Amino acid sequence: MKKTSFFLFLILFFNTICFSQEDVTLERLSIFIDKNNTTYENIKKEKFKITSSNHLNFGFNNKIDIWVKLELLNKSEKLETRILELDNPLLEELILYSSNNTFLKSGMLNITKSRDKINPTFKVNIDANSKKIYFMKVSNNTTALQFSCLLYTSDAA
């Protein structure tokens, strides 16, 4: 009897792990190291390097900007809103560009009164059953250029 219960537990456990998926996922994270202050229009033509980690660390380097290409996938049947957070409160300037050429700013140099988190965040929308690509420029001149990209649901979203 104990073996049967344990076996059923294992089946349920692995079933939960294998089949419970988020509706919206960060499918791919790619980077481009920019030494020439490339514009958004030109960065879309550049070749980005896919990274296997969502934690990026470039140390103390004020001679570069990092462009991050984020590919978000929405597998649900409805428009989804998520929060994109970078886990370094000392990042100075972040600009998030959407495919429709709109942009949002965050970071130490762009703190608004409505900001409710210590880390820089952006609210992103992804249409039903679609993939959306965002480009984000990250600049830091006085502290280490390191961060992780986090994507989550917010009750206030």
Side-chain angles (χ1 to χ4, degrees), residues 59-76:
F60 291 93
N61 194 336
N62 63 358
K63 296 186 181 2
I64 63 170
D65 295 321
I66 302 302
W67 283 90
V68 181
K69 182 178 179 182
L70 303 125
E71 297 179 40
L72 307 179
L73 180 64
N74 181 359
K75 298 176 231 170
S76 77

Side-chain angles (χ1 to χ4, degrees), residues 121-136:
T121 60
F122 298 99
K123 188 182 287 190
V124 294
N125 296 311
I126 306 97
D127 290 329
N129 296 309
S130 69
K131 181 192 287 190
K132 186 155 187 183
I133 296 174
Y134 288 94
F135 290 89
M136 180 172 45

Side-chain angles (χ1 to χ4, degrees), residues 24-26 28-31 40 43-44 48 67-73 79-82 84 95-104 122-127 131-137 151:
V24 176
T25 56
L26 178 55
R28 184 173 294 146
L29 187 71
S30 308
I31 61 168
Y40 170 61
I43 205 67
K44 293 185 283 184
F48 280 69
W67 283 90
V68 181
K69 182 178 179 182
L70 303 125
E71 297 179 40
L72 307 179
L73 180 64
L79 171 79
E80 295 285 348
T81 300
R82 293 292 185 270
L84 173 64
I95 306 172
L96 182 72
Y97 294 90
S98 182
S99 55
N100 61 1
N101 293 331
T102 60
F103 65 92
L104 301 168
F122 298 99
K123 188 182 287 190
V124 294
N125 296 311
I126 306 97
D127 290 329
K131 181 192 287 190
K132 186 155 187 183
I133 296 174
Y134 288 94
F135 290 89
M136 180 172 45
K137 183 178 183 179
L151 188 68

Side-chain angles (χ1 to χ4, degrees), residues 34 36 69 88 93-95 101 116 119 134 155:
D34 182 8
N36 300 317
K69 182 178 179 182
N88 182 347
E93 184 158 41
L94 299 97
I95 306 172
N101 293 331
D116 61 349
N119 290 328
Y134 288 94
D155 295 335

